[in-house]
Amino acid sequence: MKKILLLSSLLLFAKTAFAEPIKNVDEFQTKVEQCIKGKKPDECLNTLLIKHLPPGNEAMAQQLPNITGLLVKWLGGSSVYALHHLKTKKLGDIVDIRHYAIESSGTGFMVLQIKYLKILGKPYLFGFNLSSTDETINALLSGNL
């Protein structure tokens, strides 16, 4: 019985351990940008992002290191030359989607999309996607992203 209670407590803690709302989305976004431009963007992003995922989003928490690791693999030893904020799309007062272009010093180009969602009036990180595929870049350039 004690094992079941302990396991239940640990699962409950795991679900809420990273469910911290974002106090100010613009300030948080500035920290994300600093991570991306930093020396170890994957480590910085993992530390920053994980605690702001909404409750019940364990699948994204597990995938986050793979997503942020993609940035380091894509850079392949190059650095981030520039980070360009391209557009922000808001859906009412509940969803905020921001698109960026990341330029590497090795002449690479990657698209970053960050989604914020308000739950009970408090913003959380709802999506963090990176892509350097031709399909994504063409969709961005044609205005379909």
Side-chain angles (χ1 to χ4, degrees):
M1 182 68 171
K2 287 182 181 180
K3 289 181 182 180
I4 293 172
L5 287 174
L6 179 61
L7 182 59
S8 297
S9 298
L10 288 173
L11 289 173
L12 181 61
F13 176 74
K15 287 185 177 184
T16 59
F18 53 83
E20 183 180 315
I22 298 167
K23 291 180 181 145
N24 181 300
V25 172
D26 291 326
E27 288 176 12
F28 181 79
Q29 188 64 40
T30 298
K31 291 177 184 176
V32 168
E33 292 171 16
Q34 290 169 347
C35 281
I36 290 170
K37 294 175 184 176
K39 293 188 185 217
K40 295 185 178 184
D42 55 339
E43 291 177 24
C44 182
L45 287 169
N46 288 336
T47 302
L48 177 65
L49 302 178
I50 192 85
K51 59 188 168 190
H52 297 292
L53 297 173
N57 207 352
E58 290 81 16
M60 186 172 175
Q62 292 173 352
Q63 290 301 317
L64 190 61
N66 296 333
I67 296 167
T68 58
L70 179 64
L71 178 61
V72 173
K73 288 178 189 172
W74 173 76
L75 285 169
S78 297
S79 60
V80 172
Y81 174 75
L83 183 63
H84 308 279
H85 180 221
L86 302 173
K87 68 180 183 176
T88 298
K89 180 179 180 181
K90 294 192 181 234
L91 302 171
D93 189 36
I94 199 165
V95 177
D96 183 344
I97 305 169
R98 299 178 186 205
H99 289 91
Y100 291 81
I102 303 171
E103 259 186 291
S104 77
S105 60
T107 68
F109 188 81
M110 180 175 262
V111 176
L112 165 65
Q113 180 188 65
I114 302 175
K115 295 179 185 177
Y116 300 100
L117 175 69
K118 284 188 181 175
I119 299 173
L120 301 175
K122 297 178 181 178
Y124 291 88
L125 177 68
F126 193 67
F128 187 88
N129 299 305
L130 292 162
S131 178
S132 61
T133 66
D134 289 341
E135 181 182 2
T136 302
I137 292 170
N138 288 334
L140 177 72
L141 296 174
S142 64
N144 295 324
L145 188 64

